[in-house]
Amino acid sequence: MIDFYFHPTPNPAKIALFLEESGLPYELKPVDTSKGEQHSPEFRAINPNGKVPAIVDSEGPGGKPAFVFDSTAILLYLADKTGQFLGAPEDRPQLLSWLMFVASGLGPFSGQAVHFQYAAPEGLDYAVNRYRREADRHYQVLNDRLKGREFIVGESYTIADMSAWGWVDRASRVFKSSEDPLGPYPELKRWFAKIDARPAVERARGVNKKHAFKTVNDDETRRALFPSNYPKTA
Ligand SMILES: N[C@@H](CCC(=O)N[C@@H](CS)C(=O)NCC(=O)O)C(=O)O
């Protein structure tokens, strides 16, 4: 059995999609990051980085429990475990490259673009411009990659597609106020529509509804998500 530590945000969404695609049995373990549950000692024992997603697989290597954190590590672990969605062996160098492109580029720059447009104080135009522009550049790289391709890597649907889907799904937040956020990236738009129409995507979205996560953005939320804005108490 896999315990899946989840909050309805982009990185956990990738894992919800893998689990729903693969049919692996799992138990949902909600971590309400708006309430600060990611900072509890119990959760830190599972993910010392204090972020979701994380999993505990009771049947890990050698029959022992396996603790895995970080969405890219989890995707690779689960794909390796099940032999699913890894693509062809000859495409592995590209699979690794595109997974890291999402993990170190598309994801973090999109995340910062969202932060500076929705959560940071007004007036930080330099930061908004930098992160929106970098998000746009990553979208363009992906758009170019998808010309003449159905999937990001090789000829089949892989964990690279799942990983990118988790973030491209948030394009309307990344490109705040855009009426057609994927309009400037037609190849990416075509790819997204195809991935998004998969039955497992609908089930993955349904995972959000299995728990009543906190939606109010109050002082507790801001302290939980942005502790660097608050002085450390002794
Ligand atoms: N590199 C990590 C990033 C994880 C991450 O930033 N998760 C966010 C949700 S998408 C989170 O836990 N935020 C709560 C917090 O930062 O306290 C991954 O890919 O899993």
Side-chain angles (χ1 to χ4, degrees):
M1 176 62 78
I2 289 171
D3 286 345
F4 173 30
Y5 293 84
F6 173 85
H7 185 263
T9 34
N11 291 305
K14 306 168 185 176
I15 307 309
L17 180 54
F18 185 99
L19 290 168
E20 290 298 335
E21 291 282 13
S22 65
L24 271 175
Y26 70 93
E27 195 170 317
L28 196 70
K29 301 282 181 183
V31 180
D32 205 328
T33 57
S34 295
K35 292 183 180 168
E37 292 175 0
Q38 69 275 40
H39 305 305
S40 73
E42 294 75 22
F43 184 65
R44 290 289 171 122
I46 292 161
N47 182 356
N49 194 31
K51 298 207 184 263
V52 282
I55 62 164
V56 179
D57 177 6
S58 60
E59 289 157 46
K64 295 189 187 137
F67 293 68
V68 195
F69 65 87
D70 197 289
S71 59
T72 309
I74 298 168
L75 286 173
L76 280 164
Y77 173 82
L78 293 176
D80 195 38
K81 177 183 172 81
T82 60
Q84 288 182 278
F85 308 115
L86 277 171
E90 62 268 26
D91 292 326
R92 191 64 43 85
Q94 285 297 298
L95 181 77
L96 293 173
S97 302
W98 287 100
L99 280 173
M100 297 311 151
F101 166 87
V102 177
S104 64
L106 180 73
F109 282 109
S110 297
Q112 294 305 321
V114 170
H115 177 82
F116 282 101
Q117 292 177 99
Y118 293 89
E122 300 258 310
L124 298 175
D125 296 350
Y126 180 93
V128 171
N129 184 44
R130 169 162 171 77
Y131 289 118
R132 263 186 83 126
R133 287 286 283 276
E134 272 299 297
D136 164 65
R137 197 181 62 72
H138 282 82
Y139 271 65
Q140 196 58 57
V141 170
L142 210 42
N143 187 66
D144 293 345
R145 168 67 178 177
L146 286 163
K147 278 180 193 149
R149 294 181 160 275
E150 275 194 68
F151 303 104
I152 296 174
V153 175
E155 304 297 324
S156 63
Y157 175 56
T158 67
I159 51 175
D161 298 295
M162 296 181 199
S163 187
W165 169 83
W167 275 105
V168 176
D169 190 40
R170 301 300 171 108
S172 62
R173 286 190 51 87
V174 173
F175 302 112
K176 186 181 177 185
S177 305
S178 167
E179 279 181 18
D180 182 12
L182 292 183
Y185 321 101
E187 306 293 338
L188 186 59
K189 190 171 183 172
R190 169 185 55 78
W191 165 89
F192 182 76
K194 183 169 175 170
I195 304 295
D196 207 51
R198 295 178 68 89
V201 165
E202 198 179 335
R203 295 197 298 275
R205 290 192 198 286
V207 175
N208 296 359
K209 296 178 194 117
K210 292 185 180 163
H211 180 82
F213 288 97
K214 180 178 170 188
T215 52
V216 180
N217 187 356
D218 57 12
D219 192 54
E220 178 195 48
T221 308
R222 289 187 290 276
R223 284 176 183 272
L225 293 177
F226 315 122
S228 53
N229 293 340
Y230 298 87
K232 277 191 179 160
T233 45

